PDB file of all heavy atoms in Angstrom:
ATOM      1  N   ALA A 389      16.546  -4.549   6.754  1.00  0.00           N
ATOM      2  CA  ALA A 389      15.708  -3.655   7.398  1.00  0.00           C
ATOM      3  C   ALA A 389      15.400  -4.022   8.825  1.00  0.00           C
ATOM      4  O   ALA A 389      15.299  -3.212   9.752  1.00  0.00           O
ATOM      5  CB  ALA A 389      14.361  -3.451   6.638  1.00  0.00           C
ATOM      6  N   ALA A 390      15.092  -5.330   9.060  1.00  0.00           N
ATOM      7  CA  ALA A 390      14.812  -5.826  10.395  1.00  0.00           C
ATOM      8  C   ALA A 390      16.001  -5.650  11.332  1.00  0.00           C
ATOM      9  O   ALA A 390      15.813  -5.344  12.572  1.00  0.00           O
ATOM     10  CB  ALA A 390      14.496  -7.299  10.282  1.00  0.00           C
ATOM     11  N   ALA A 391      17.200  -5.717  10.819  1.00  0.00           N
ATOM     12  CA  ALA A 391      18.397  -5.596  11.663  1.00  0.00           C
ATOM     13  C   ALA A 391      18.672  -4.083  11.980  1.00  0.00           C
ATOM     14  O   ALA A 391      19.196  -3.767  13.074  1.00  0.00           O
ATOM     15  CB  ALA A 391      19.625  -6.095  10.925  1.00  0.00           C
ATOM     16  N   LEU A 392      18.157  -3.233  11.093  1.00  0.00           N
ATOM     17  CA  LEU A 392      18.376  -1.810  11.297  1.00  0.00           C
ATOM     18  C   LEU A 392      17.298  -1.061  12.081  1.00  0.00           C
ATOM     19  O   LEU A 392      17.616  -0.128  12.867  1.00  0.00           O
ATOM     20  CB  LEU A 392      18.499  -1.058   9.923  1.00  0.00           C
ATOM     21  CG  LEU A 392      19.758  -1.390   9.169  1.00  0.00           C
ATOM     22  CD1 LEU A 392      19.603  -0.936   7.695  1.00  0.00           C
ATOM     23  CD2 LEU A 392      20.967  -0.718   9.749  1.00  0.00           C
ATOM     24  N   LEU A 393      16.091  -1.507  11.997  1.00  0.00           N
ATOM     25  CA  LEU A 393      14.999  -0.875  12.701  1.00  0.00           C
ATOM     26  C   LEU A 393      14.798  -1.406  14.107  1.00  0.00           C
ATOM     27  O   LEU A 393      14.710  -2.602  14.272  1.00  0.00           O
ATOM     28  CB  LEU A 393      13.683  -1.061  11.878  1.00  0.00           C
ATOM     29  CG  LEU A 393      13.578  -0.326  10.509  1.00  0.00           C
ATOM     30  CD1 LEU A 393      12.313  -0.777   9.776  1.00  0.00           C
ATOM     31  CD2 LEU A 393      13.688   1.186  10.630  1.00  0.00           C
ATOM     32  N   GLU A 394      14.714  -0.511  15.059  1.00  0.00           N
ATOM     33  CA  GLU A 394      14.407  -0.897  16.428  1.00  0.00           C
ATOM     34  C   GLU A 394      12.986  -1.439  16.445  1.00  0.00           C
ATOM     35  O   GLU A 394      12.113  -1.143  15.623  1.00  0.00           O
ATOM     36  CB  GLU A 394      14.507   0.274  17.361  1.00  0.00           C
ATOM     37  CG  GLU A 394      15.947   0.812  17.495  1.00  0.00           C
ATOM     38  CD  GLU A 394      16.889  -0.170  18.179  1.00  0.00           C
ATOM     39  OE1 GLU A 394      16.422  -0.985  18.960  1.00  0.00           O
ATOM     40  OE2 GLU A 394      18.082   0.004  17.938  1.00  0.00           O
ATOM     41  N   PRO A 395      12.709  -2.309  17.481  1.00  0.00           N
ATOM     42  CA  PRO A 395      11.348  -2.866  17.602  1.00  0.00           C
ATOM     43  C   PRO A 395      10.214  -1.864  17.687  1.00  0.00           C
ATOM     44  O   PRO A 395       9.131  -2.116  17.252  1.00  0.00           O
ATOM     45  CB  PRO A 395      11.418  -3.712  18.963  1.00  0.00           C
ATOM     46  CG  PRO A 395      12.863  -4.015  19.079  1.00  0.00           C
ATOM     47  CD  PRO A 395      13.646  -2.872  18.511  1.00  0.00           C
ATOM     48  N   ASN A 396      10.537  -0.630  18.257  1.00  0.00           N
ATOM     49  CA  ASN A 396       9.478   0.359  18.362  1.00  0.00           C
ATOM     50  C   ASN A 396       9.662   1.505  17.263  1.00  0.00           C
ATOM     51  O   ASN A 396       9.073   2.525  17.365  1.00  0.00           O
ATOM     52  CB  ASN A 396       9.474   0.996  19.671  1.00  0.00           C
ATOM     53  CG  ASN A 396      10.856   1.699  20.060  1.00  0.00           C
ATOM     54  OD1 ASN A 396      11.837   1.446  19.371  1.00  0.00           O
ATOM     55  ND2 ASN A 396      10.848   2.486  21.096  1.00  0.00           N
ATOM     56  N   ALA A 397      10.469   1.221  16.198  1.00  0.00           N
ATOM     57  CA  ALA A 397      10.665   2.202  15.219  1.00  0.00           C
ATOM     58  C   ALA A 397       9.332   2.425  14.475  1.00  0.00           C
ATOM     59  O   ALA A 397       8.526   1.546  14.305  1.00  0.00           O
ATOM     60  CB  ALA A 397      11.740   1.815  14.252  1.00  0.00           C
ATOM     61  N   PRO A 398       9.176   3.697  13.941  1.00  0.00           N
ATOM     62  CA  PRO A 398       7.918   3.948  13.201  1.00  0.00           C
ATOM     63  C   PRO A 398       7.705   3.024  12.018  1.00  0.00           C
ATOM     64  O   PRO A 398       6.571   2.660  11.674  1.00  0.00           O
ATOM     65  CB  PRO A 398       8.124   5.391  12.670  1.00  0.00           C
ATOM     66  CG  PRO A 398       9.088   6.018  13.642  1.00  0.00           C
ATOM     67  CD  PRO A 398       9.991   4.861  14.045  1.00  0.00           C
ATOM     68  N   GLY A 399       8.736   2.530  11.342  1.00  0.00           N
ATOM     69  CA  GLY A 399       8.621   1.710  10.183  1.00  0.00           C
ATOM     70  C   GLY A 399       8.488   0.225  10.420  1.00  0.00           C
ATOM     71  O   GLY A 399       8.403  -0.602   9.540  1.00  0.00           O
ATOM     72  N   ARG A 400       8.489  -0.203  11.740  1.00  0.00           N
ATOM     73  CA  ARG A 400       8.495  -1.607  12.043  1.00  0.00           C
ATOM     74  C   ARG A 400       7.172  -2.284  11.650  1.00  0.00           C
ATOM     75  O   ARG A 400       7.264  -3.414  11.182  1.00  0.00           O
ATOM     76  CB  ARG A 400       8.733  -1.748  13.562  1.00  0.00           C
ATOM     77  CG  ARG A 400       9.080  -3.202  13.936  1.00  0.00           C
ATOM     78  CD  ARG A 400      10.533  -3.488  13.576  1.00  0.00           C
ATOM     79  NE  ARG A 400      10.799  -4.905  13.633  1.00  0.00           N
ATOM     80  CZ  ARG A 400      12.047  -5.450  13.674  1.00  0.00           C
ATOM     81  NH1 ARG A 400      13.098  -4.620  13.655  1.00  0.00           N
ATOM     82  NH2 ARG A 400      12.220  -6.687  13.646  1.00  0.00           N
ATOM     83  N   ALA A 401       6.051  -1.655  11.811  1.00  0.00           N
ATOM     84  CA  ALA A 401       4.841  -2.302  11.415  1.00  0.00           C
ATOM     85  C   ALA A 401       4.709  -2.568   9.949  1.00  0.00           C
ATOM     86  O   ALA A 401       4.311  -3.686   9.484  1.00  0.00           O
ATOM     87  CB  ALA A 401       3.615  -1.462  11.865  1.00  0.00           C
ATOM     88  N   LEU A 402       5.154  -1.672   9.135  1.00  0.00           N
ATOM     89  CA  LEU A 402       5.211  -1.797   7.662  1.00  0.00           C
ATOM     90  C   LEU A 402       6.166  -2.955   7.295  1.00  0.00           C
ATOM     91  O   LEU A 402       5.856  -3.826   6.437  1.00  0.00           O
ATOM     92  CB  LEU A 402       5.584  -0.580   7.011  1.00  0.00           C
ATOM     93  CG  LEU A 402       5.667  -0.598   5.499  1.00  0.00           C
ATOM     94  CD1 LEU A 402       4.359  -0.982   4.784  1.00  0.00           C
ATOM     95  CD2 LEU A 402       6.147   0.739   4.903  1.00  0.00           C
ATOM     96  N   LEU A 403       7.300  -3.004   7.942  1.00  0.00           N
ATOM     97  CA  LEU A 403       8.215  -4.080   7.694  1.00  0.00           C
ATOM     98  C   LEU A 403       7.629  -5.408   8.068  1.00  0.00           C
ATOM     99  O   LEU A 403       7.701  -6.452   7.266  1.00  0.00           O
ATOM    100  CB  LEU A 403       9.507  -3.891   8.583  1.00  0.00           C
ATOM    101  CG  LEU A 403      10.516  -5.080   8.513  1.00  0.00           C
ATOM    102  CD1 LEU A 403      11.031  -5.337   7.113  1.00  0.00           C
ATOM    103  CD2 LEU A 403      11.674  -4.760   9.488  1.00  0.00           C
ATOM    104  N   ASP A 404       6.974  -5.565   9.221  1.00  0.00           N
ATOM    105  CA  ASP A 404       6.282  -6.804   9.535  1.00  0.00           C
ATOM    106  C   ASP A 404       5.232  -7.163   8.485  1.00  0.00           C
ATOM    107  O   ASP A 404       5.109  -8.354   8.178  1.00  0.00           O
ATOM    108  CB  ASP A 404       5.610  -6.624  10.985  1.00  0.00           C
ATOM    109  CG  ASP A 404       6.550  -6.636  12.115  1.00  0.00           C
ATOM    110  OD1 ASP A 404       7.616  -7.265  11.964  1.00  0.00           O
ATOM    111  OD2 ASP A 404       6.217  -6.120  13.232  1.00  0.00           O
ATOM    112  N   PHE A 405       4.498  -6.222   8.038  1.00  0.00           N
ATOM    113  CA  PHE A 405       3.521  -6.518   6.993  1.00  0.00           C
ATOM    114  C   PHE A 405       4.152  -7.117   5.688  1.00  0.00           C
ATOM    115  O   PHE A 405       3.760  -8.140   5.172  1.00  0.00           O
ATOM    116  CB  PHE A 405       2.710  -5.222   6.648  1.00  0.00           C
ATOM    117  CG  PHE A 405       1.866  -5.476   5.459  1.00  0.00           C
ATOM    118  CD1 PHE A 405       0.696  -6.212   5.541  1.00  0.00           C
ATOM    119  CD2 PHE A 405       2.019  -4.810   4.236  1.00  0.00           C
ATOM    120  CE1 PHE A 405      -0.217  -6.380   4.508  1.00  0.00           C
ATOM    121  CE2 PHE A 405       1.148  -4.939   3.185  1.00  0.00           C
ATOM    122  CZ  PHE A 405       0.121  -5.723   3.309  1.00  0.00           C
ATOM    123  N   ARG A 406       5.228  -6.500   5.324  1.00  0.00           N
ATOM    124  CA  ARG A 406       5.926  -6.924   4.111  1.00  0.00           C
ATOM    125  C   ARG A 406       6.497  -8.307   4.294  1.00  0.00           C
ATOM    126  O   ARG A 406       6.677  -9.076   3.313  1.00  0.00           O
ATOM    127  CB  ARG A 406       6.882  -5.907   3.633  1.00  0.00           C
ATOM    128  CG  ARG A 406       6.062  -4.661   3.113  1.00  0.00           C
ATOM    129  CD  ARG A 406       7.044  -3.480   2.745  1.00  0.00           C
ATOM    130  NE  ARG A 406       6.229  -2.488   2.062  1.00  0.00           N
ATOM    131  CZ  ARG A 406       6.671  -1.271   1.679  1.00  0.00           C
ATOM    132  NH1 ARG A 406       7.923  -0.935   1.954  1.00  0.00           N
ATOM    133  NH2 ARG A 406       5.888  -0.443   1.036  1.00  0.00           N
ATOM    134  N   ARG A 407       7.044  -8.529   5.430  1.00  0.00           N
ATOM    135  CA  ARG A 407       7.599  -9.922   5.727  1.00  0.00           C
ATOM    136  C   ARG A 407       6.498 -10.951   5.730  1.00  0.00           C
ATOM    137  O   ARG A 407       6.713 -12.097   5.299  1.00  0.00           O
ATOM    138  CB  ARG A 407       8.360  -9.891   7.082  1.00  0.00           C
ATOM    139  CG  ARG A 407       9.575  -9.022   7.028  1.00  0.00           C
ATOM    140  CD  ARG A 407      10.238  -9.069   8.374  1.00  0.00           C
ATOM    141  NE  ARG A 407      11.275 -10.087   8.425  1.00  0.00           N
ATOM    142  CZ  ARG A 407      12.052 -10.333   9.506  1.00  0.00           C
ATOM    143  NH1 ARG A 407      11.937  -9.615  10.592  1.00  0.00           N
ATOM    144  NH2 ARG A 407      12.994 -11.319   9.457  1.00  0.00           N
ATOM    145  N   GLY A 408       5.338 -10.555   6.084  1.00  0.00           N
ATOM    146  CA  GLY A 408       4.077 -11.395   5.935  1.00  0.00           C
ATOM    147  C   GLY A 408       3.801 -11.730   4.486  1.00  0.00           C
ATOM    148  O   GLY A 408       3.442 -12.819   4.151  1.00  0.00           O
ATOM    149  N   LEU A 409       3.972 -10.704   3.696  1.00  0.00           N
ATOM    150  CA  LEU A 409       3.698 -10.906   2.188  1.00  0.00           C
ATOM    151  C   LEU A 409       4.622 -11.949   1.660  1.00  0.00           C
ATOM    152  O   LEU A 409       4.256 -12.842   0.873  1.00  0.00           O
ATOM    153  CB  LEU A 409       3.822  -9.553   1.430  1.00  0.00           C
ATOM    154  CG  LEU A 409       2.836  -8.442   1.800  1.00  0.00           C
ATOM    155  CD1 LEU A 409       3.255  -7.225   0.954  1.00  0.00           C
ATOM    156  CD2 LEU A 409       1.458  -8.905   1.466  1.00  0.00           C
ATOM    157  N   LEU A 410       5.877 -11.817   2.020  1.00  0.00           N
ATOM    158  CA  LEU A 410       6.821 -12.848   1.524  1.00  0.00           C
ATOM    159  C   LEU A 410       6.510 -14.214   2.032  1.00  0.00           C
ATOM    160  O   LEU A 410       6.613 -15.187   1.214  1.00  0.00           O
ATOM    161  CB  LEU A 410       8.252 -12.465   2.017  1.00  0.00           C
ATOM    162  CG  LEU A 410       9.191 -11.760   0.991  1.00  0.00           C
ATOM    163  CD1 LEU A 410       8.654 -10.375   0.721  1.00  0.00           C
ATOM    164  CD2 LEU A 410      10.580 -11.685   1.470  1.00  0.00           C
ATOM    165  N   ALA A 411       6.148 -14.376   3.269  1.00  0.00           N
ATOM    166  CA  ALA A 411       5.819 -15.644   3.842  1.00  0.00           C
ATOM    167  C   ALA A 411       4.572 -16.218   3.206  1.00  0.00           C
ATOM    168  O   ALA A 411       4.514 -17.427   2.893  1.00  0.00           O
ATOM    169  CB  ALA A 411       5.559 -15.509   5.362  1.00  0.00           C
ATOM    170  N   GLU A 412       3.596 -15.357   2.887  1.00  0.00           N
ATOM    171  CA  GLU A 412       2.332 -15.877   2.242  1.00  0.00           C
ATOM    172  C   GLU A 412       2.502 -16.248   0.795  1.00  0.00           C
ATOM    173  O   GLU A 412       2.192 -17.286   0.374  1.00  0.00           O
ATOM    174  CB  GLU A 412       1.199 -14.838   2.431  1.00  0.00           C
ATOM    175  CG  GLU A 412      -0.080 -15.278   1.803  1.00  0.00           C
ATOM    176  CD  GLU A 412      -1.150 -14.227   1.853  1.00  0.00           C
ATOM    177  OE1 GLU A 412      -0.960 -13.168   2.352  1.00  0.00           O
ATOM    178  OE2 GLU A 412      -2.257 -14.605   1.414  1.00  0.00           O
ATOM    179  N   ASN A 413       3.111 -15.304  -0.028  1.00  0.00           N
ATOM    180  CA  ASN A 413       3.108 -15.401  -1.369  1.00  0.00           C
ATOM    181  C   ASN A 413       4.378 -15.943  -2.052  1.00  0.00           C
ATOM    182  O   ASN A 413       4.297 -16.412  -3.249  1.00  0.00           O
ATOM    183  CB  ASN A 413       2.751 -14.011  -2.020  1.00  0.00           C
ATOM    184  CG  ASN A 413       1.338 -13.568  -1.639  1.00  0.00           C
ATOM    185  OD1 ASN A 413       0.451 -14.345  -1.725  1.00  0.00           O
ATOM    186  ND2 ASN A 413       1.287 -12.319  -1.263  1.00  0.00           N
ATOM    187  N   LEU A 414       5.567 -15.926  -1.377  1.00  0.00           N
ATOM    188  CA  LEU A 414       6.674 -16.478  -1.885  1.00  0.00           C
ATOM    189  C   LEU A 414       7.169 -17.715  -1.231  1.00  0.00           C
ATOM    190  O   LEU A 414       7.793 -18.599  -1.822  1.00  0.00           O
ATOM    191  CB  LEU A 414       7.820 -15.400  -1.938  1.00  0.00           C
ATOM    192  CG  LEU A 414       7.578 -14.119  -2.691  1.00  0.00           C
ATOM    193  CD1 LEU A 414       8.827 -13.241  -2.752  1.00  0.00           C
ATOM    194  CD2 LEU A 414       7.041 -14.324  -4.089  1.00  0.00           C
ATOM    195  N   SER A 415       6.925 -17.903   0.078  1.00  0.00           N
ATOM    196  CA  SER A 415       7.390 -19.057   0.860  1.00  0.00           C
ATOM    197  C   SER A 415       6.176 -20.015   1.092  1.00  0.00           C
ATOM    198  O   SER A 415       6.412 -21.125   1.492  1.00  0.00           O
ATOM    199  CB  SER A 415       7.884 -18.611   2.174  1.00  0.00           C
ATOM    200  OG  SER A 415       9.097 -17.719   1.998  1.00  0.00           O
ATOM    201  N   ASP A 416       4.970 -19.574   0.929  1.00  0.00           N
ATOM    202  CA  ASP A 416       3.732 -20.356   1.106  1.00  0.00           C
ATOM    203  C   ASP A 416       3.738 -20.937   2.488  1.00  0.00           C
ATOM    204  O   ASP A 416       3.604 -22.151   2.760  1.00  0.00           O
ATOM    205  CB  ASP A 416       3.707 -21.444   0.050  1.00  0.00           C
ATOM    206  CG  ASP A 416       2.261 -22.118   0.108  1.00  0.00           C
ATOM    207  OD1 ASP A 416       1.315 -21.526   0.510  1.00  0.00           O
ATOM    208  OD2 ASP A 416       2.114 -23.270  -0.384  1.00  0.00           O
ATOM    209  N   THR A 417       4.043 -20.114   3.421  1.00  0.00           N
ATOM    210  CA  THR A 417       3.909 -20.458   4.914  1.00  0.00           C
ATOM    211  C   THR A 417       2.875 -19.605   5.516  1.00  0.00           C
ATOM    212  O   THR A 417       3.215 -18.557   6.214  1.00  0.00           O
ATOM    213  CB  THR A 417       5.286 -20.314   5.595  1.00  0.00           C
ATOM    214  OG1 THR A 417       5.848 -18.933   5.331  1.00  0.00           O
ATOM    215  CG2 THR A 417       6.279 -21.242   4.996  1.00  0.00           C
ATOM    216  N   PRO A 418       1.571 -19.925   5.461  1.00  0.00           N
ATOM    217  CA  PRO A 418       0.537 -19.053   5.884  1.00  0.00           C
ATOM    218  C   PRO A 418       0.585 -18.764   7.405  1.00  0.00           C
ATOM    219  O   PRO A 418       0.168 -17.685   7.833  1.00  0.00           O
ATOM    220  CB  PRO A 418      -0.785 -19.836   5.535  1.00  0.00           C
ATOM    221  CG  PRO A 418      -0.359 -21.211   5.227  1.00  0.00           C
ATOM    222  CD  PRO A 418       1.036 -21.145   4.766  1.00  0.00           C
ATOM    223  N   GLU A 419       0.999 -19.706   8.156  1.00  0.00           N
ATOM    224  CA  GLU A 419       1.050 -19.488   9.707  1.00  0.00           C
ATOM    225  C   GLU A 419       2.110 -18.303   9.966  1.00  0.00           C
ATOM    226  O   GLU A 419       1.819 -17.513  10.852  1.00  0.00           O
ATOM    227  CB  GLU A 419       1.344 -20.725  10.450  1.00  0.00           C
ATOM    228  CG  GLU A 419       0.186 -21.683  10.498  1.00  0.00           C
ATOM    229  CD  GLU A 419      -1.093 -21.000  11.017  1.00  0.00           C
ATOM    230  OE1 GLU A 419      -1.043 -20.310  12.018  1.00  0.00           O
ATOM    231  OE2 GLU A 419      -2.099 -21.226  10.378  1.00  0.00           O
TER     232      GLU A 419
END
Side-chain angles (χ1 to χ4, degrees):
L392 289 166
L393 293 174
E394 295 291 336
N396 61 345
R400 193 76 195 197
L402 180 60
L403 172 62
D404 284 334
F405 173 69
R406 289 174 171 175
R407 296 180 89 180
L409 295 176
L410 261 67
E412 179 182 3
N413 295 315
L414 300 187
S415 301
D416 194 24
T417 52
E419 286 306 315

